[in-house]
Amino acid sequence: MDTKSRGDLVINGFGASNGGQFRVVALNGRGTINSDLECMELDCNGSGILNGNVISEKVKVNGNGRFRGNLEAQNLSIDGSARIDKNLTVEKLKISGKGTIGGRVKSEEIKIEGTFTVGEDCEAEIFKAESQFTIGGLLNADQVDIKMFGECKAKEIGGQTITVKQKGSSLVGHLLKSFYKPQLEAELIEGDKIELENTTAKIVRGNQVSIGPNCQIGLVEYTEEFSMDKKAVVAENRKI
């Protein structure tokens, strides 16, 4: 990305811009960008509305950001609240606040510590969540590591290693459990090595499958190993 001839765009109060190519874009007040934007760095510290597609190496949302098009970035960090109406393509995604994506997500590494909502599929190499999330389509990652605070939902989950556990038993965890039920819901979970707790699923399919406490599974299909906790319910298990 050639940035030598680019200037910066800073909106501190109420303001609007037609977009274009910039080095650094900072929305510190209530700013609107009305067309496509390409920049090295985008900081949304106030309330920002971006009506076009956005391409940036680094995006930080500390306030409230609304992206009405697609967002493509190397790094995206959401500490506030961000809504992306269409698709998100990002190398590294970290959410400590609230992230809502209307379309699909494609990433290398996703780390969720806040709230994550995806309308369609979510694809990554590594997916780590210590939070609540809802994925309308397929969650597909080589490594899926979920530690639940509350309700988590995905239509389907696929990966090599899939681990689902309840977030630790600290005082905060006990207080949160009184408000949020730590439970994962999915129609199908399929992987090589699967370890589940607090999970409701119609079908679980894998090579090595371990069904832990508070699980309700309709059918488990496995090729190598199967184990089941006495506090779990599995209607049928089948070696294939």
Side-chain angles (χ1 to χ4, degrees):
M1 190 181 289
D2 182 17
T3 61
K4 291 181 181 179
S5 60
R6 297 187 184 184
D8 297 341
L9 172 63
V10 179
I11 299 176
N12 290 316
F14 288 84
S17 168
N18 287 326
Q21 295 182 334
F22 299 93
R23 191 178 66 87
V24 175
V25 176
L27 305 178
N28 300 319
R30 187 163 183 172
T32 301
I33 297 180
N34 287 314
S35 60
D36 293 349
L37 175 69
E38 184 177 334
C39 60
M40 287 282 292
E41 185 173 343
L42 170 62
D43 289 332
C44 183
N45 299 310
S47 177
I49 298 175
L50 299 102
N51 288 317
N53 298 317
V54 176
I55 298 175
S56 180
E57 291 188 5
K58 186 177 182 180
V59 179
K60 288 184 178 180
V61 180
N62 297 315
N64 292 288
R66 177 70 181 268
F67 300 80
R68 297 191 184 276
N70 299 308
L71 172 58
E72 182 177 339
Q74 292 183 12
N75 291 277
L76 171 59
S77 175
I78 301 172
D79 294 318
S81 176
R83 178 179 178 86
I84 301 162
D85 288 358
K86 295 185 179 179
N87 301 319
L88 171 63
T89 303
V90 61
E91 290 185 13
K92 291 188 178 181
L93 170 63
K94 182 178 180 181
I95 299 179
S96 300
K98 181 179 181 181
T100 303
I101 294 86
R104 63 182 180 275
V105 177
K106 187 172 183 179
S107 179
E108 292 183 5
E109 183 177 347
I110 298 175
K111 186 175 182 180
I112 310 298
E113 296 174 347
T115 303
F116 186 48
T117 304
V118 180
E120 299 178 15
D121 295 343
C122 179
E123 180 181 348
E125 298 292 324
I126 298 172
F127 180 89
K128 292 186 176 182
E130 298 184 9
S131 60
Q132 295 175 262
F133 64 82
T134 301
I135 296 172
L138 167 66
L139 167 58
N140 184 29
D142 289 345
Q143 179 184 344
V144 177
D145 187 359
I146 299 169
K147 295 180 176 66
M148 294 175 291
F149 262 143
E151 290 185 338
C152 298
K153 296 180 180 180
K155 186 174 181 180
E156 297 180 1
I157 299 176
Q160 293 183 359
T161 302
I162 301 171
T163 304
V164 180
K165 294 186 177 181
Q166 180 180 319
K167 182 73 173 173
S169 58
S170 64
L171 175 59
V172 175
H174 284 302
L175 290 172
L176 286 171
K177 279 199 298 182
S178 64
F179 295 100
Y180 303 107
K181 182 182 178 183
Q183 189 78 17
L184 171 68
E185 294 182 16
E187 293 183 10
L188 170 66
I189 300 174
E190 186 169 9
D192 294 334
K193 184 177 181 180
I194 302 173
E195 297 180 49
L196 303 178
E197 293 180 4
N198 292 58
T199 298
T200 299
K202 293 180 180 179
I203 301 172
V204 176
R205 184 182 295 126
N207 298 334
Q208 300 171 327
V209 179
S210 174
I211 305 298
N214 303 316
C215 287
Q216 292 187 334
I217 311 298
L219 170 65
V220 172
E221 294 183 336
Y222 65 99
T223 58
E224 296 177 10
E225 298 177 7
F226 168 67
S227 64
M228 172 180 155
D229 188 271
K230 62 183 180 180
K231 293 182 180 180
V233 176
V234 175
E236 181 183 0
N237 69 84
R238 182 189 304 156
K239 188 169 184 178
I240 55 175

